[in-house]
Amino acid sequence: GIQVEQSPPDLILQEGANSTLRCNFSDSVNNLQWFHQNPWGQLINLFYIPSGTKQNGRLSATTVATERYSLLYISSSQTTDSGVYFCAVATNAGGTSYGKLTFGQGTILTVHP
Amino acid sequence: DSGVTQTPKHLITATGQRVTLRCSPRSGDLSVYWYQQSLDQGLQFLIQYYNGEERAKGNILERFSAQQFPDLHSELNLSSLELGDSALYFCASSVDLWAGNYNEQFFGPGTRLTVL
């Protein structure tokens, strides 16, 4: 099946700093989503971005499907940004995925005041 | 709030028991996905239903089963529970209007299962 690798595994920042999280995937995808899992365990949708670039406030994401990677940018980080960030992809390689998401192992972000 | 609801939020039970987790998808969404998040396995896909029919299976144990009802809500049944089944179980839904139409998935708050 498709492999999803996220880097870095851990990231510690001071409030106000910027960061870039990376997601590499091993096959063509028809769905790519970024999630933030907060300390209460909720998975919050950040971006649905199988290709192209999107921005939402201090967050933006870019997916270069032909090169099989996606980047999540966090600017002017805040303590509330702390948590785990997941990249998840769906592929139809082999023709039978039906949209199931394969998740990376996540990046644990800690933002200190 | 994603619009996907799951009950119960927490469940504590003993080994060997059987439990049922319930999910109501967002209004209009035809696909329901179940995922399991455990410390050792991460987030893994279990099973997908589309408009009442099973569409795809992942790493779902034979002791686990699911169904989607005519009103599109879904239930995940876990039986003969073991300590290792302790995990956070998520339900997600998406529109998925037709085969190959992969849309954004929205996740419920999860059910935290603890098996003692």
Side-chain angles (χ1 to χ4, degrees):
Chain A
I2 192 168
Q3 304 297 313
V4 182
E5 292 183 5
Q6 291 186 241
S7 59
D10 297 276
L11 189 56
I12 300 174
L13 301 174
Q14 286 296 127
E15 206 167 25
N18 302 328
S19 61
T20 301
L21 282 58
R22 187 177 179 103
C23 172
N24 292 332
F25 43 94
S26 61
D27 212 328
S28 59
V29 299
N30 44 45
N31 180 3
L32 189 146
Q33 293 185 237
W34 283 97
F35 297 91
H36 174 215
Q37 188 167 37
N38 63 23
W40 296 271
Q42 259 189 309
L43 278 171
I44 310 228
N45 286 38
L46 297 178
F47 294 101
Y48 168 68
I49 187 166
S51 64
T53 297
K54 290 186 178 180
Q55 180 154 8
N56 183 4
R58 297 181 295 105
L59 274 58
S60 63
T62 295
T63 297
V64 183
T66 53
E67 297 187 22
R68 299 183 182 170
Y69 73 89
S70 183
L71 302 173
L72 177 68
Y73 305 96
I74 305 174
S75 65
S76 304
S77 58
Q78 301 175 358
T79 56
T80 52
D81 294 332
S82 296
V84 185
Y85 289 79
F86 288 103
C87 168
V89 303
T91 177
N92 65 349
T96 55
S97 73
Y98 296 116
K100 67 173 184 179
L101 290 175
T102 299
F103 283 78
Q105 289 304 304
T107 292
I108 302 173
L109 175 65
T110 304
V111 181
H112 291 301
Chain B
D1 186 351
S2 67
V4 179
T5 60
Q6 289 187 248
T7 56
K9 289 185 179 176
H10 301 276
L11 203 46
I12 301 174
T13 189
T15 54
Q17 295 299 303
R18 181 180 190 276
V19 297
T20 297
L21 283 52
R22 182 187 168 102
C23 167
S24 293
R26 296 186 318 154
S27 176
D29 284 1
L30 301 178
S31 272
V32 168
Y33 301 80
W34 286 96
Y35 295 86
Q36 178 195 58
Q37 185 177 29
S38 61
L39 284 175
D40 53 345
Q41 298 290 331
L43 264 157
Q44 288 198 102
F45 166 74
L46 295 178
I47 196 165
Q48 178 200 2
Y49 278 81
Y50 176 79
N51 204 18
E53 294 188 4
E54 181 185 305
R55 180 176 265 189
K57 265 186 173 179
N59 297 323
I60 187 166
L61 299 171
E62 285 192 11
R63 301 182 285 108
F64 296 0
S65 64
Q67 54 185 325
Q68 187 179 27
F69 295 86
D71 67 352
L72 300 178
H73 91 270
S74 178
E75 292 180 356
L76 179 66
N77 301 296
L78 315 177
S79 62
S80 303
L81 284 167
E82 302 175 359
L83 296 177
D85 298 327
S86 295
L88 190 51
Y89 291 84
F90 287 105
C91 164
S93 75
S94 65
V95 173
D96 290 355
L97 294 174
W98 61 85
N101 176 234
Y102 306 114
N103 291 277
E104 185 174 7
Q105 291 182 31
F106 294 85
F107 282 68
T111 293
R112 190 172 296 278
L113 174 66
T114 303
V115 182
L116 301 175

